[in-house]
Structures are given as structure tokens and as C-alpha cells.
Amino acid sequence: MVRRKGGVRLKQQLKLFLAVLITAVAASALTLYLVGKGSGGSVYSASDSEKFEKLMAAYDKIKSDYYQNADDEKLTDGAIKGMLGALDDPYSTYMDKKEAKSFEESITSSFEGIGAQVEEKNGQILIVAPIKGSPAEKAGLKPHDEIQKVDGKSVKGKTVNEATAMIRGKKGTNVKLVLNREGVGQIDVTIKRDTIPIETVYSKMIDGNIGEIQITSFSENTAKELTKAIDDLSEKGAERFVLDLRGNPGGLMDQAIMMSNMFVDKGKTIMQVESKNGKKEVYKAEKERKVNKPTVVLVNGGTASAAEIMAAALHQSSGIPIVGENTFGKGTVQNAESFSDGSTVKLTIAKWLTPNGDWIHEKGIKPQYKAELPSYAKLPYLDSKKEYKAGSTGDEVKAAQQMLQALGYKLNATGAFDAQTEAAVKAFQKDQKLKTTGILTGETTISLTSKLQDKLSDNDTQLDKAIEILKKEK
């Protein structure tokens, strides 16, 4: 082992390295995402150089002795990734130019992919929520599904951005995922990528005079979309509102504040942000309240981040009830700052707290009225390209049997494709005017999945509970 003293050369390299690492910041963007709240400059000074001698000694060693030429950019990127990885925080990440572009697209425009928000937690890549109407939603992806492989390649040890880059691709191309779902096991799914538009608010009149508003994420124009939805529904005679935040993975914090203000009286607290020194910044409703009609909020395990800010604000500052399941539990704020080369560091800079000062991180928000979907809502996607027939066995066969059961066909869900299952498939094919083969594949699989989704839509027990509670509100 050879030891070398850095001396003047080390200090010069250190200054150059830190200039790349710290002072090349050119612009900032958001991720639960806080607008315009950077640290205000570098905290590094020349007197701190000794702290980095080990780092620079390693750099010096690689540049001088490694048997191949080492790329400076890759070494710098690796050092940044290493520092962020040492924080053991899945929300603090480094994105190269390509990953940063993909991230920016996800909150500002349309992009091509499968349409699912993912996160890294305890070394696993998990689905937070699929986007409404996306290929991921149509394929049956659920919150908390673990992605194990993408096109046959393991995502073990990958960052969220690296995994996302593997999943995204050109419209019309396929990506094969291997998932693990709690209580179900391994699921293989092939999804065709498509253009994912960032349209984030969907509204309609239901049950007479109730306006249902589904918010799928918090992007640049979501507050404007919500304003329009409220106005349109009010013109149609809406006297009450259901705000559906199920499967909403979050997004821009400023949008969550503006949207919450529509349901919170001026001067009341919407949220608090607590920095590492314990100082709290309180965000209050700055405008007059827009909606004074009875409202309920609908949530589930895919309701995260900015969506949780809104749910908590409406409940704690306006007394609006929350219906559904425990939310995801993301209580931190990230700031994304871009380097001059287009790469970006996304760093957790604070906690966010509810109006009452609660930190919901990794705990979520418990609804006042619990409501679950039918058990068949958690059944996995079946690959229409696969063939399930007499003699087939496994979890996917069991899922198909449970789907048929949910649609009213009589059979036992054993996981073995027996004569009883074949008879049920034939009966389903006959009812749907399909070729009667007794084999589950292609059109039959697609039709089975579609019919189950229709049944779930007609039997949305969570929405039914929300309407029940809403009708009691004054």
C-alpha cells in the first residue's frame, strides 16, 4: 500500500472538485417539491478541506494508478451518488441529464412510459400508485407492488431514477415486469408503453347533486384544473363534493397549498415545514375560501405526499371528514437543484407537518371512516399472452379462478386448472360470445379483466361510504 500526501496539488484538486460538486448550481425545480427554498449557497469553506482529504486522496489514487483511463464525469457522478446514498434516504437522489429530463417531464408535460409513480424503500423498488388511465393502471398495478425485474434484469440495488429509466421507453414498445404482491406472490406482466398526459383532474356529477372530483397528481396546472372542475360542477347543480385522492402520489407543494386554500378559511393553517434546526414555517390560507359546501375526502394506501398535505389540511383546518384506508405516509420535503450540465440533485431539506403539528412520515393518515374495496380489487393482472388450460397450476391460475368467482361463476380457487375451472371458462366465453375453448388466453383474458373492472367500478364500496357520510354533512 502506497500513501501519498496531497499538499498543494490535493487542495487545488479539492477546490476544483467541490466547484463542480457544489457551486455549479444553475436552476431549481420541485419535488414534493418546495419552490424557491434552497439553502442560499455553499456551506463549504477552505478550512473544511481536511474533511475531504480522504475523498480526494482516493480520486488522486484512481487517476494516477488505475490500470485504465478513468472518466472524470463518471467519478464525479459516482462521488455524488455515494454521498447521497450514505444519507439512507430514498427521496434524496442524484439524476444524470437523462434522468433529470424524465423527472422534469413527469411534473410539467406528457411523457412516454407506463404511468406509475415508484419509490425506493428498504432496498426495494415499490409502486406508489399508477396514474389514472395509464397502461400501468390498466395492467392492474397496485400501490406497494414490488418491482423485482425489468425486461429480465434485476432492479436490486438500483436507485428510483435508474429503475424508472429502465421502465420508460418509446410509445408502442413493451416492457416486461416481474412483481411481488403481498398475499399473492410473484406476478409477471407485460405492459405496452404509451404517452402519459399530465391531465390531473377528472370530474363528474353522481348520485343527483354530488360533484365527484378525482385528483391524480399535483402538477404545474392542477390548481387551475381543480378551479375549473369546481366551477363546472357548480354550474351543473353540485351541492356537495367528493374529493377522490386515492392513488395520488403527490407532486408540487405549492399546488397542494393553493388547492387546500379553496376549502380552508383565510388565515387558517394549511401545513407547516420544519427545518433541521427545529424552526417551523407556517403556511396559511391567504385567499378567501372558494368552497363552503359539504365535502368529504377519499384516500387509500396510494395517497401520498402532497395529497396527504391536502387531506390533512382539509380535515384539521376545516373539519372535512376523511374516508377510506390509511394513507402512504410521506412527510418530507425535497428540493431539486440542477447543475450546469443538466444533472440534478434532489435532496430532502425538511419535514412537513399537518396544521396540528403531526408528522405522518411512515405512519400515514388514519381516516375517520374506514372503508375497503372488495377483496377482488387486489387480484393481480393476468397476461393475455399466456395460456392457462387444463393442467396449468400456480398463483395466476388461482387469481383467474377468484376473478371468475367474483363474476358469479361457481368453482373452487385451488390454483389448479381442473375440469371445474375449464367449465367456468367455457361458461364465461359463452356469455361473452367468445369462441368456447375452455382455455384462458388472449381475448378471453382481456374480457375477464375488463368485466372485473366494470364490476369494481359499479361496486366501489369506498365511494359508497363517502357518499353515505357526505349526505350526513351539513
Side-chain angles (χ1 to χ4, degrees):
M1 182 182 294
V2 178
R3 295 180 182 271
R4 295 183 179 176
K5 293 184 179 180
V8 174
R9 181 185 175 195
L10 177 59
K11 289 181 180 179
Q12 289 174 338
Q13 288 176 331
L14 178 60
K15 289 178 181 178
L16 176 62
F17 183 82
L18 290 173
V20 173
L21 200 65
I22 297 172
T23 64
V25 175
S28 63
L30 291 185
T31 161
L32 169 278
Y33 296 119
L34 184 60
V35 182
K37 292 289 181 181
S39 61
S42 170
V43 296
Y44 169 76
S45 65
S47 63
D48 292 325
S49 62
E50 290 184 6
K51 299 176 184 178
F52 292 90
E53 283 188 2
K54 185 176 180 181
L55 174 66
M56 290 311 304
Y59 171 83
D60 192 33
K61 179 71 174 176
I62 292 168
K63 292 297 290 182
S64 63
D65 294 353
Y66 186 61
Y67 82 106
Q68 292 182 339
N69 290 330
D71 184 275
D72 282 346
E73 184 176 354
K74 288 183 178 180
L75 290 177
T76 304
D77 287 354
I80 299 171
K81 287 181 180 180
M83 284 191 285
L84 289 167
L87 298 175
D88 197 25
D89 172 14
Y91 303 111
S92 293
T93 58
Y94 172 75
M95 296 173 272
D96 62 26
K97 187 176 181 179
K98 182 179 178 182
E99 293 166 343
K101 183 175 182 291
S102 175
F103 163 72
E104 183 68 19
E105 287 174 346
S106 71
I107 60 172
T108 58
S109 61
S110 63
F111 60 93
E112 293 182 349
I114 66 169
Q117 177 82 12
V118 299
E119 70 148 4
E120 186 274 326
K121 188 173 184 179
N122 298 326
Q124 298 176 320
I125 301 296
L126 303 176
I127 299 290
V128 175
I131 295 172
K132 180 179 173 65
S134 67
E137 184 188 54
K138 293 173 183 176
L141 270 61
K142 306 290 184 186
H144 307 297
D145 282 349
E146 178 195 353
I147 301 173
Q148 296 181 326
K149 292 183 180 180
V150 178
D151 287 333
K153 297 179 181 179
S154 173
V155 298
K156 187 175 181 180
K158 300 289 186 182
T159 66
V160 169
N161 301 308
E162 290 168 339
T164 300
M166 293 169 69
I167 296 168
R168 283 194 179 179
K170 291 184 178 180
K171 175 182 177 179
T173 60
N174 290 331
V175 60
K176 296 180 180 179
L177 303 180
V178 175
L179 309 172
N180 182 62
R181 179 173 298 168
E182 187 176 353
V184 175
Q186 182 176 307
I187 302 169
D188 298 331
V189 55
T190 299
I191 306 176
K192 181 177 285 188
R193 300 178 178 101
D194 203 348
T195 300
I196 312 299
I198 307 301
E199 181 181 353
T200 58
V201 178
Y202 302 81
S203 63
K204 62 182 178 181
M205 293 293 292
I206 59 172
D207 203 49
N209 65 351
I210 296 175
E212 180 191 10
I213 301 174
Q214 183 177 21
I215 304 168
T216 60
S217 66
F218 290 76
S219 298
E220 281 186 337
N221 296 311
T222 305
K224 291 180 181 178
E225 290 182 48
L226 177 58
T227 299
K228 184 177 186 303
I230 293 169
D231 290 343
D232 289 347
L233 291 171
S234 296
E235 287 180 9
K236 293 175 181 177
E239 293 296 330
R240 301 169 187 269
F241 292 99
V242 174
L243 287 183
D244 190 349
L245 298 179
R246 291 178 295 178
N248 186 319
L252 301 177
M253 194 178 90
D254 66 329
Q255 296 291 304
I257 293 171
M258 285 189 284
M259 292 160 66
S260 297
N261 195 159
M262 298 180 197
F263 298 84
V264 173
D265 290 331
K266 184 176 181 180
K268 286 195 173 183
T269 299
I270 291 174
M271 67 175 295
Q272 304 177 58
V273 173
E274 182 180 341
S275 59
K276 66 180 179 181
N277 63 10
K279 184 180 179 181
K280 295 178 182 177
E281 185 172 1
V282 179
Y283 290 80
K284 296 186 176 184
E286 296 181 350
K287 297 182 179 180
E288 295 297 334
R289 180 172 179 166
K290 181 178 179 67
V291 179
N292 287 286
K293 296 175 181 178
T295 303
V296 298
V297 176
L298 197 50
V299 301
N300 66 1
T303 304
S305 194
E308 292 173 299
I309 289 176
M310 188 171 186
L314 270 57
H315 176 62
Q316 294 185 1
S317 291
S318 293
I320 292 173
I322 301 175
V323 179
E325 300 170 290
N326 208 75
T327 63
F328 188 83
K330 181 180 180 292
T332 55
V333 181
Q334 285 71 42
N335 175 258
E337 294 190 337
S338 300
F339 295 113
S340 57
D341 65 353
S343 62
T344 296
V345 165
K346 180 160 68 74
L347 187 69
T348 298
I349 60 171
K351 300 176 180 179
W352 72 262
L353 310 176
T354 69
N356 291 350
D358 303 322
W359 192 38
I360 58 93
H361 195 61
E362 297 185 348
K363 294 182 292 185
I365 299 169
K366 185 178 180 180
Q368 287 68 60
Y369 299 94
K370 185 176 181 181
E372 295 182 350
L373 291 174
S375 59
Y376 57 78
K378 298 181 180 179
L379 291 174
Y381 166 87
L382 295 178
D383 191 341
S384 63
K385 293 182 180 179
K386 287 189 175 182
E387 194 174 82
Y388 308 96
K389 57 185 179 180
S392 299
T393 60
D395 291 334
E396 291 177 339
V397 172
K398 186 174 182 178
Q401 292 168 330
Q402 291 171 320
M403 288 180 181
L404 288 163
Q405 284 180 334
L407 293 173
Y409 296 91
K410 294 183 178 180
L411 72 163
N412 296 318
T414 62
F417 201 112
D418 51 17
Q420 191 182 47
T421 305
E422 185 175 353
V425 171
K426 285 182 177 179
F428 175 77
Q429 290 171 326
K430 183 179 179 181
D431 290 342
Q432 302 306 313
K433 297 181 172 54
L434 299 170
K435 187 176 181 181
T436 308
T437 62
I439 299 172
L440 187 58
T441 189
E443 247 188 297
T444 302
T445 303
I446 293 170
S447 182
L448 179 62
T449 302
S450 177
K451 286 297 176 184
L452 194 67
Q453 289 175 339
D454 290 344
K455 181 179 176 67
L456 183 59
S457 179
D458 294 337
N459 190 30
D460 188 338
T461 50
Q462 292 177 330
L463 179 58
D464 291 343
K465 184 67 175 179
I467 293 172
E468 176 192 330
I469 300 302
L470 184 58
K471 288 181 176 179
K472 296 177 183 178
E473 293 291 305
K474 294 181 180 180

